[in-house]
Every structure is written in C-alpha cells, then in structure tokens.
C-alpha cells in the first residue's frame, strides 16, 4: 500500500473520467429480471396500460441506473475480465490496495430511463481519505460519482459510491 | 389504466407514518438473482469459496444495486406507481447472507410541498436481520398532491430534495 497519494492521482480528483456509452440499450429483459429478483410488482414495469398512463411509456426502475453500464463479463477479443466502475479499480491499482468494498451508495434520479434509451456516463473521483485502520484492514476511503445522461443529453441521475480500499489485517 | 392501481396522495401521509414492513427469507438464489439481474458478475455474489476465503465474509452476500432494488420496492409498494423516487442514500453496515431473514422498514420524516403538484416525502428506511441493522437508508419520493397530479409528468427539481 502506498503511504502517500501520488500527485498524479491527486490531480485527477474532480475531473470527469471514463466517458462511455452503455454497451446495452435499455431493454425489458433486465427490467423483468430485476423486478423478479425482488418480487417488485409495481405495474409501471409490468402493465403497459399503467406505464402509458403514468409515465408516458415503459420505463426502468430508477435504481437500475448502474445496471446499464456493467460490461459483459466477456466479449470477443477481450483478454481479461472487463470491470465496471473503472475509477474504483484504477484507485485500487494506483494506491496498491488489493481489496475493496462499497460502504455507502447515494443515488439521485432525473429524467426517467426509458425502453430503447442508450445512456452515457462519466466518472468523477470526489475525494480520497487519509489512511484509516478499520476492522477489515488498513486502507483509504474514496468517493466516486457516476453521472448518467440519456442520448439527448438529458440528466438521468448520479450514482455516488463510497468505497474502502484496504489491505487485509494479518490473522 | 388498470382499475385496481392505488396511489397515495400527499394528504394521506403524515410525519412519523410507518411504511408497511417487508420481510424476506434470503437464500443463495436471492443473492445470485439480484447480482445477475444487475449484471454484477463479481464472485463474492455467487462464489461462496471466494466470498469466504478471499473477502473474509461469512458467505456470498447481497450486492449494492440489489439492496437498492429491495428498498425501492418497499417505497413503491407503499406509495403506488405514481410515487417517483428522487434520491436514495444508504449505508451498508453489515452484509446480508443466505439464511438471513431480512425485514425492511421505513418511516416518514419530512414532507415538503412544491409548486409543481407534488411534495417530496423524506423517509428513514432500514434493512434488519434479527436485531442487527444491516443497512440504513434515507430516501425521498415525489408524491402527488391529489389524484389529478402526477410527479412522472412534472418537472423534477432535485435541488429541492431533502433526505
């Protein structure tokens, strides 16, 4: 683990990173899978007449924002596992912290995500803490915002993660 | 619209009001379904050996987006489909594992009317396993002033959201 945060890493705090378009278009299959996983019978996601009447057409559950940006586990030509939330994995590597967990998550929702949308996102490292000793190990907390827009440039939400990157305690 | 859809209006809600609790027996299937639905392929959500020996966890555990989906369900089961989530913040204190019976609860903490035909309803939510609070959450949902209004077709001003 690095005892001092490199200046090159500090310089990236607050800068938009990793602009990307979602690999998948917003589609019904994942919406149904998500609702089924938590037995969510909200008719907005199941009943076309209700969704037409209330939200002007089928939409995705707001909390699915991050789902549209997780990469396929494998794709042709890839030589290693693709990782989501790239800034998080960048920080693990740059700060030499092999383990990490997400401790806090804040979501804010703008325009609804609609069937057929192809979303765009970028990531912003908001902060990196001093070294902390925790029950899991020694490491640092960091906050990363993922900002989402739709294909029309409308704001659809922000997913803000607080993570702990750490080296496990001995024993 | 389907006739039996029920939606709360702002006048139906008061500070201190409890949401109907939601209980669920968590199984490995619960964890894996939630992870796969959210395209989260990380092994601690499906590989018990990895979760225990690499992460130092007791078992595979619910992932973050799936917890958010459970909390979203708690809110909209209560509000009805016109309830429009504005924001949600949660802190995962301990993990939720297969074999746990989780209980999701919520209570209204603040009601803030707006000029757009809805009010922001702030609430404190939690996921408990037995007496242990696994996750705490603050959320804000837009609720129509009356049946003639609809937050989904109104401007959403997130700067007015309080949690």
């Amino acid at each position: 683990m690095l005892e001092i945060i490199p200046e090159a890493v500090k310089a990236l705090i607050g800068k938009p990173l990793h602009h990307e378009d979602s690999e998948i278009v917003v589609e019904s299959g994942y919406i149904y899978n998500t609702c089924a996983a938590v037995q969510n019978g909200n008719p907005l996601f199941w009943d076309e007449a209700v969704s037409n009447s209330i939200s002007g057409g089928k939409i995705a559950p707001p909390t699915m924002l991050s789902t549209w940006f997780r990469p396929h586990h494998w794709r042709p030509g890839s030589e290693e596992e693709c990782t989501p939330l790239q800034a998080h994995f960048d920080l693990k590597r740059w700060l030499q912290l092999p383990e990490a967990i997400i401790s806090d998550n804040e979501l804010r929702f703008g325009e609804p995500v609609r069937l057929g949308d192809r979303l765009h996102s970028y990531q912003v490292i908001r902060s990196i803490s001093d070294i902390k000793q925790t029950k899991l190990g020694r490491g640092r907390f960091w906050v990363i915002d993922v900002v989402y827009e739709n294909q029309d440039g409308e704001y659809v939400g922000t997913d803000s993660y607080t993570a702990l990157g750490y080296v496990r305690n001995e024993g | 619209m389907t006739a039996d859809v029920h939606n709360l209006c702002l006048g139906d809600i008061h500070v201190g009001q409890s949401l109907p609790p939601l209980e669920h027996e968590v199984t490995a299937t619960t964890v894996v379904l939630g992870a796969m639905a959210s395209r989260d392929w990380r092994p601690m959500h499906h590989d018990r050996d990895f979760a225990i020996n690499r992460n130092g966890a007791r078992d595979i555990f619910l992932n973050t987006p799936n917890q958010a989906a459970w909390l979203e369900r708690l809110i909209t089961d209560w509000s009805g489909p016109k309830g429009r989530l504005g924001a949600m913040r949660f802190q995962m204190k301990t993990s939720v594992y297969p074999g746990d019976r989780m209980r999701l609860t919520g209570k209204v903490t603040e009601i803030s009317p707006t000029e757009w035909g809805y009010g922001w309803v702030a609430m404190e939510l939690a996921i408990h396993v037995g007496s242990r609070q696994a996750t705490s959450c603050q959320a804000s949902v837009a609720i129509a002033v009356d049946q003639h209004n609809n937050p989904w077709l109104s401007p959403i001003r997130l700067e007015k959201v309080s949690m």
Side-chain angles (χ1 to χ4, degrees):
Chain A
M1 177 178 65
L2 294 185
E3 296 296 317
I4 296 172
I5 302 171
E7 288 302 319
V9 175
K10 285 184 185 172
L12 292 174
I13 295 173
K15 304 260 173 67
L17 304 169
H18 302 299
H19 281 269
E20 62 175 318
D21 293 319
S22 58
E23 283 185 336
I24 56 172
V25 171
V26 174
E27 48 102 324
S28 293
Y30 278 108
I31 294 173
Y32 290 135
N33 285 346
T34 296
C35 290
V38 298
Q39 300 171 14
N40 183 353
N42 187 337
L44 270 189
F45 314 124
W46 296 94
D47 185 323
E48 196 165 349
V50 172
S51 59
N52 284 338
S53 166
I54 292 180
S55 51
K58 289 285 283 291
I59 61 171
T63 55
M64 284 187 73
L65 268 180
S66 62
T67 299
W68 311 113
F69 281 90
R70 292 206 177 78
H72 303 311
H73 190 258
W74 176 90
R75 72 167 73 85
S78 65
E79 293 182 356
E80 57 187 29
E81 182 186 340
C82 305
T83 52
L85 196 57
Q86 188 58 50
H88 172 77
F89 291 92
D90 290 344
L91 287 172
K92 284 181 67 178
R93 191 174 67 253
W94 293 336
L95 302 175
Q96 298 177 12
L97 295 165
E99 312 298 337
I101 59 159
I102 303 292
S103 61
D104 292 49
N105 185 206
E106 181 169 337
L107 298 151
R108 298 177 83 81
F109 309 108
E111 290 302 310
V113 173
R114 298 184 180 279
L115 243 57
D117 278 356
R118 185 180 286 277
L119 303 181
H120 177 83
S121 77
Y122 58 91
Q123 300 170 29
V124 181
I125 299 167
R126 289 291 175 206
S127 63
I128 305 171
S129 79
D130 295 333
I131 293 173
K132 309 282 186 189
Q133 180 64 51
T134 74
K135 281 189 283 188
L136 287 172
R138 191 163 174 265
R140 297 179 189 274
F141 288 91
W142 52 74
V143 178
I144 298 170
D145 284 353
V146 185
V147 181
Y148 302 97
E149 299 168 343
N150 64 20
Q151 62 282 343
D152 299 321
E154 295 171 311
Y155 171 78
V156 297
T158 304
D159 206 349
S160 182
Y161 293 95
T162 302
L164 168 68
Y166 63 98
V167 177
R168 284 180 69 171
N169 289 327
E170 294 293 324
Chain B
M1 184 194 304
T2 306
D4 60 357
V5 172
H6 174 73
N7 288 291
L8 286 181
C9 293
L10 217 50
D12 301 323
I13 300 169
H14 60 269
V15 172
Q17 186 171 348
S18 293
L19 281 64
L22 173 62
E23 298 202 6
H24 189 79
E25 295 282 355
V26 177
T27 65
T29 303
T30 313
V31 177
V32 174
L33 274 179
M36 295 298 110
S38 52
R39 296 172 56 80
D40 187 343
W41 326 117
R42 289 174 302 163
M44 62 282 259
H45 305 305
H46 63 260
D47 183 337
R48 190 164 188 266
D49 183 60
F50 183 98
I52 293 171
N53 296 318
R54 176 69 187 272
N55 279 144
R58 193 178 87 204
D59 202 334
I60 58 172
F61 51 91
L62 286 188
N63 73 336
T64 305
N66 187 236
Q67 291 206 28
W70 278 105
L71 291 162
E72 177 179 352
R73 179 192 154 189
L74 175 74
I75 295 167
T76 54
D77 275 2
W78 168 73
S79 70
K82 274 191 183 174
R84 178 175 178 178
L85 268 181
M88 177 182 275
R89 176 173 57 229
F90 53 102
Q91 303 83 38
M92 287 157 289
K93 298 170 178 177
T94 59
S95 298
V96 180
Y97 300 107
D100 287 344
R101 180 174 181 82
M102 63 176 178
R103 179 178 170 85
L104 288 79
T105 57
K107 188 170 279 191
V108 174
T109 56
E110 188 180 344
I111 301 170
S112 309
T114 72
E115 60 193 273
W116 304 293
Y118 62 84
W120 286 113
V121 176
M123 55 192 73
E124 284 281 342
L125 311 169
I127 302 176
H128 278 91
V129 174
S131 60
R132 165 172 66 89
Q133 188 183 68
T135 299
S136 64
C137 174
Q138 301 80 43
S140 197
V141 60
I143 301 288
V145 168
D146 56 39
Q147 294 294 347
H148 303 294
N149 282 285
N150 177 3
W152 288 104
L153 301 179
S154 304
I156 284 292
R157 303 293 167 83
L158 293 174
E159 66 270 20
K160 302 287 186 187
V161 172
S162 63
M163 288 192 291

